[in-house]
Structures are given as structure tokens and as C-alpha cells.
């Protein structure tokens, strides 16, 4: 029913850190080479015409790498450009409305910052949850209170859907976040502000294996 | 193909002037009694959940009066609440995309602030144009340069679609704006900030007749 979803290294594009649409494209192309598995466009200060222009520039890059491009909040933009889905927050369009507008085959992600929000997620509507902020973040001024790694681990034991961790995650703490039960990490500055986004993405992706529990059934 | 459209007195709701959703409902109910012919929800600072809540509160009032409710900019909100259409600006979702997403029967309005923008309007896509600001306005910080009444009259001679004037319009200048060729006037503070929105709407509506050219074929 739903698109294949790999949350392992989830790049959230920030227009300021990337330097506008051209910068976003450069960062994305490089990060895709480095192995990011999902890309989200998030530009809350932008007018929709800019969202459309950016999404139309990013889509061919993501399609070429067979990586979905999600649109933050703006379901109409996602529909207009035929993006692969959306990520909505608790104050955005209700996830059920987003699902209804987008149909069954696109991806719908939902932010959850505490146990009550996580418990309220409808697994029939939502494909994954974004849980955080795990650590303090400078890229989302209206972020919820910091959860911390222990709190994040608690939420991971409660989850019924794939979960991506967000908020202040980078090479120094990624392995711990994966180990706490995250199916993936969402990063902004760790890739957008990196001197080499390809290397930054590859390094984060490598950390996803570090924490993997060895299994006798796998080589 | 399109919904019936009467631009005569077009109320644009401002959440601050009205005092939130409850205030918007009170202003709208009163203004509908006074004879407004179209209502638009515009709250650029709001999250979409607030848009949805406000639109769902306003829709029964507008439906009861058989007056369309339009949503500014947020096509996804319009779709989610099944509003009667949208109004988009030059930096919002392209009108053709809005039309495609909304289908043929909903209303799509487009802002135009100069001759080039007016000439570029696709009458196959757009139902009406919003032209302004005719006068200085305090309710839209990012408004285009003021056109003035003479400039507005020039644009009215160029129009190929119904046009509603916007920007600083109130009881003192409404008759002149109608006389300059407007099919209607869009007002914010003239109704939202009025002590008696019903009386304010009725007074504006009466001014639409003052400027009408007497016709032998009408009583």
C-alpha cells in the first residue's frame, strides 16, 4: 500500500543553512551520493511559489537516487509537484486529512514529542513518526521541550510504527540514538552545514551499522 | 462551470482585528446580516490546524447565508474543509495548480498589482482578480506599492475578468472605487474593526448602488 520507506539517514533541508534553492540542490546531490535514505524540504518562512520551485528542482535528484522527497507541512505543494509525501507536525493539517488528500500510496509522517502524542498516532494513517527533539536544536525555533536520550528510549519502547529521531543529532551522538531504538535519524545542520555533505551523510550512515545487534542469521 | 460569484462587498477576515476564531465568527455572522457577498479567511501567521478550525467554524455561517467562503493561499486547507475556493497571490501556489487541485467548480481568485500581472491572468483558470492596493493599508505588511484611484481605473479598463479592489477601502472612498470600475470592494478593517460589522457591511453595500449608472431598463 505504501511506498518503501527507509528512515536510516533522513536529511531535512534548511534553506538558510544550504543557501537557497541552488545550495539545497548541491547539498542534496552530494548527500544522496553519501547515502541519505530520505529527503525532506522544510522552509517555514517561504512563500509557496518558492516551495514549488525548490521541490521541482529537488525531485529529479531524489528520483534519480530512488530516494523519496517529502514536503514539510504544505500538503498542497506536495500535491502540486507530485512529491512522495509529507511530514506534518501536531499543529499542521491533521494527518488523517493529509492522508485523505494524498491518497494511500504517498508517505505521511507525523511529529510526536511525548507519550500522549505517540499513543494518539493512527497507524492506519501515518507511515512513520518523527520523535524529538532528542537534543537541543538551533534549527527549529518553535521546537518542543528536549526529550533527552533516556526519554527517547522510553518512547521507542512504546512505538508501534517506524520512528525517526530528530533534534541536535550528529556524528557524536548518532550511534547512541540508533542504539536507543531509532529506526533512523533526521538531521539538518549535520549535513546542510557540513563542509562535505557527502562525507557527512556517509559517516552517519556508517554509524547506523555500529549499533546494530549482531545476528547469527546475517553474515 | 463555476460557482456564482458576487464580489460587491468582499470581507477579508483578519484574526487579530477580529480577536481570534470566536471573534471572526461574530464579525462574519454580523457582516453576513449586513449583506457581505463573499468571505475570505486570511491568517498568514497561523499554523494550518488553526486555519482548519477557523474554516470549520465559519463555513456553516457562510453556507447558511449562501455566501462562499474562500481560503487565502492555503489550498490544502480549502480541500481539507471543503471550502468554496481560494484566493492566491503572485508568490503563492500558481493559479493553474490551485485550479487543478480544486477542480472546476470552486472559485479561484488571483491578486494582480500592475498591468503586466493583470495581462498575464489566465481567464480559463481564474474566476476573478483582486487588484490593489488602491490606497495604503495597514493590514498587509507585504503589500505591493499603492496603485491609487487613477491607476486602479486604468487597470479596470484593461481587465478581462471581474475585479475586486483591495487596500485601504472603506466608507469614505468606496463609492469612488466602484465608480472607477470595480465589480466589488474587498475590505478588512472597515468591517473587522467596526463597532457594528453589520451596519458597516450594509453601509458599504449601499454605496455600491450610489455609483451605478442609471439604466432605463431597470426600475
Amino acid at each position: 500500500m505504501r511506498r518503501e520507506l527507509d528512515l536510516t539517514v533522513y536529511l531535512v533541508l534548511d534553506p538558510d543553512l544550504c543557501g537557497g534553492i541552488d545550495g539545497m540542490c548541491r547539498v542534496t546531490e552530494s548527500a544522496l551520493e553519501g547515502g541519505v535514505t530520505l529527503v525532506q524540504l522544510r522552509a517555514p518562512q517561504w512563500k509557496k511559489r518558492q516551495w514549488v520551485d525548490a521541490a521541482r528542482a529537488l525531485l529529479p535528484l531524489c528520483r534519480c537516487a530512488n530516494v523519496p522527497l517529502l514536503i514539510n507541512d504544505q500538503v498542497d505543494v506536495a500535491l502540486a509537484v507530485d512529491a512522495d509525501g509529507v511530514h506534518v507536525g501536531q499543529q499542521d493539517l491533521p494527518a488523517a486529512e493529509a492522508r485523505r488528500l494524498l491518497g494511500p500510496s504517498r508517505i505521511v509522517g507525523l511529529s510526536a514529542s511525548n507519550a500522549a502524542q505517540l499513543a494518539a498516532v493512527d497507524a492506519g494513517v501515518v507511515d512513520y513518526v518523527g520523535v524529538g527533539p532528542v537534543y537541543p536544536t538551533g534549527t527549529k525555533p518553535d521546537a518542543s521541550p528536549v526529550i533527552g536520550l533516556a526519554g527517547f528510549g522510553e518512547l521507542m519502547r512504546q512505538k508501534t510504527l517506524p520512528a525517526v529521531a530528530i533534534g541536535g543529532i550528529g556524528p557524536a551522538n548518532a550511534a547512541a540514538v540508533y542504539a536507543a531504538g531509532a529506526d533512523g535519524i533526521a538531521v539538518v545542520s549535520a549535513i546542510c552545514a557540513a563542509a562535505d555533505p557527502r562525507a557527512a551523510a556517509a559517516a552517519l550512515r556508517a554509524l547506523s551499522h555500529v549499533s546494530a545487534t549482531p545476528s547469527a542469521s546475517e553474515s
Side-chain angles (χ1 to χ4, degrees), chain A:
Chain A
M1 173 179 170
R2 306 280 163 76
R3 278 187 69 95
E4 192 180 347
L5 184 63
D6 182 346
L7 298 170
T8 309
V9 183
Y10 182 161
L11 169 62
V12 179
L13 291 166
D14 180 291
D16 296 329
L17 287 179
C18 290
I21 293 177
D22 288 349
M24 278 180 168
C25 287
R26 280 192 298 273
V27 166
T28 299
E29 199 157 20
S30 176
L32 287 166
E33 289 171 13
V36 299
T37 56
L38 200 57
V39 178
Q40 180 195 123
L41 173 59
R42 185 178 77 184
Q45 304 310 317
W46 275 6
K47 303 287 284 182
K48 283 184 204 275
R49 194 68 62 98
Q50 290 170 287
W51 282 86
V52 167
D53 291 346
R56 288 198 168 132
L58 292 165
L59 265 172
L61 307 177
C62 292
R63 292 273 155 84
C64 188
N66 200 30
V67 164
L69 176 68
L70 307 187
I71 305 294
N72 185 289
D73 182 24
Q74 312 283 9
V75 175
D76 46 8
V77 172
L79 289 168
V81 305
D82 193 25
D84 302 299
V86 299
H87 183 92
V88 292
Q90 294 283 327
Q91 296 306 312
D92 299 337
L93 214 61
E97 296 293 343
R99 169 62 66 202
R100 187 172 64 81
L101 296 176
L102 291 163
S105 63
R106 288 195 180 87
I107 296 166
V108 174
L110 174 63
S111 298
S113 296
N114 55 52
Q117 289 177 354
L118 199 57
V121 174
D122 182 347
V125 158
V126 171
D127 295 300
Y128 75 88
V129 286
V131 178
V134 181
Y135 303 105
T137 172
T139 57
K140 194 166 194 288
D142 63 342
S144 300
V146 170
I147 295 171
L149 188 64
F152 178 77
E154 286 291 327
L155 294 175
M156 288 306 96
R157 283 186 280 282
Q158 184 195 328
K159 75 180 162 89
T160 58
L161 278 172
V164 64
I166 192 164
I169 299 170
N173 54 28
V177 173
Y178 287 118
D183 299 286
I185 55 169
V187 300
V188 187
S189 54
I191 291 180
C192 293
D196 182 347
R198 194 200 61 75
L204 290 170
R205 181 134 186 187
L207 290 168
S208 74
H209 304 299
V210 171
S211 67
T213 308
S215 163
S217 67
E218 289 173 18
S219 66

